[in-house]
Amino acid sequence: MAAAQFSTTDALTDPNSPLVNVSCFDLLLIELVPLAERMARAFEASLDGHGNNATGPTSSSSSSSSSTAVKRAVASGTSAQTASISGAAPEGAGANATSTPLALAADGLPSTTIFRDSVYVRLERLGFRVGEGLSERFSRDRPRFTDHLDVIKFLCKDVWTVVFKKQIDNLKTNHRGVFVLTDSKFRPFARMSMTTHAEAIVRAQPHLYFPCGIIRGVLSSLGIKATVQAETTELPSASFQIKTIPTKT
């Protein structure tokens, strides 16, 4: 009996033929949020003139680029609370900090606006780059997409299967550029549990930033500009709302 021949080309084009163990990718997704939060703390401390405190040192170039990104996000209103994630925190970007007590982050320190926006910018932009790469790799041999709905279906089936090993469970649209994607068993939430439901929802929100970036990256790669919002009201379910931005003529 002849041995089966392993084709590198098939492995690179078939989303069901991964080159990395699934558990490794799961661990990477789990560690992305804590890493971004540690970097956000270091960035926040550097703004106060304490860049070498216990949160760890950061390079000047990294702090500079992160500072620019966060400042642009805050200035444009593209913050974790207003643009891409709903339900992240009760207070708005311009709310008076003394009016309501600050929520605590996973490290036990206050979850300030600068901290949340810094975490969001890092994870969403990382996801955006991943989404662009996935789109370019898995859409190159497909027929040209004819409309936005075809692109969304490609995202729900092919891309979601590559990243999370399952398809989106539900897709709704108003046929006017708004799409709602629901994953009833969102993989990053599968092993997540907290002492209270409210705590679980708050801690789960940052884990939606990276997938939002993936969605936006896929759409951008295929010529669609959009904003992406995500929320969870009951673990392990997650929903993503996509609003496409009409092109100016």
Side-chain angles (χ1 to χ4, degrees):
M1 181 181 294
Q5 296 296 319
F6 177 78
S7 172
T8 304
T9 303
D10 292 341
L12 291 174
T13 56
D14 182 6
N16 295 315
S17 179
L19 301 180
V20 179
N21 188 283
V22 175
S23 297
C24 294
F25 186 66
D26 283 346
L27 291 173
L28 174 62
L29 291 178
I30 291 172
E31 289 300 318
L32 275 179
V33 171
L35 175 61
E37 290 179 341
R38 289 194 296 269
M39 296 177 68
R41 283 298 180 204
F43 167 68
E44 186 179 37
S46 70
L47 294 182
D48 295 331
H50 301 289
N52 295 321
N53 67 351
T55 58
T58 57
S59 66
S60 58
S61 59
S62 175
S63 297
S64 177
S65 63
S66 298
S67 175
T68 302
V70 173
K71 287 179 180 178
R72 287 177 179 174
V74 175
S76 63
T78 311
S79 66
Q81 297 86 347
T82 59
S84 293
I85 303 294
S86 62
E91 65 271 19
N96 185 354
T98 60
S99 60
T100 56
L102 289 174
L104 297 181
D107 58 5
L109 298 176
S111 178
T112 63
T113 299
I114 291 177
F115 171 78
R116 290 192 300 271
D117 289 348
S118 181
V119 171
Y120 164 71
V121 168
R122 295 173 192 279
L123 293 175
E124 201 274 346
R125 291 195 174 193
L126 179 60
F128 181 85
R129 293 176 60 187
V130 171
E132 283 187 319
L134 289 172
S135 176
E136 292 171 0
R137 174 177 168 182
F138 293 107
S139 67
R140 62 187 180 186
D141 297 325
R142 300 174 64 92
R144 185 179 181 86
F145 297 110
T146 57
D147 55 27
H148 288 185
L149 184 58
D150 283 342
V151 175
I152 299 297
K153 288 180 179 179
F154 165 70
L155 170 67
C156 294
K157 295 180 179 180
D158 297 73
V159 175
W160 218 254
T161 299
V162 170
V163 181
F164 300 113
K165 307 308 172 188
K166 66 183 294 292
Q167 297 182 7
I168 283 291
D169 296 300
N170 195 330
L171 167 62
K172 296 181 180 179
T173 178
N174 63 356
H175 298 286
R176 293 192 296 272
V178 178
F179 304 88
V180 178
L181 286 56
T182 302
D183 189 336
S184 59
K185 295 182 179 179
F186 188 48
R187 193 177 186 90
F189 293 166
R191 299 181 179 90
M192 184 177 295
S193 62
M194 297 292 170
T195 55
T196 65
H197 177 266
E199 181 185 7
I201 296 302
V202 171
R203 295 291 178 86
Q205 290 298 331
H207 293 269
L208 296 172
Y209 299 171
F210 180 75
C212 279
I214 291 180
I215 293 174
R216 197 169 65 85
V218 170
L219 298 180
S220 176
S221 176
L222 297 173
I224 300 176
K225 292 184 177 181
T227 59
V228 184
Q229 295 179 337
E231 67 176 356
T232 177
T233 56
E234 189 70 35
L235 299 182
S237 176
S239 62
F240 302 83
Q241 184 184 82
I242 302 171
K243 292 184 179 180
T244 59
I245 302 174
T247 56
K248 297 181 179 179
T249 57

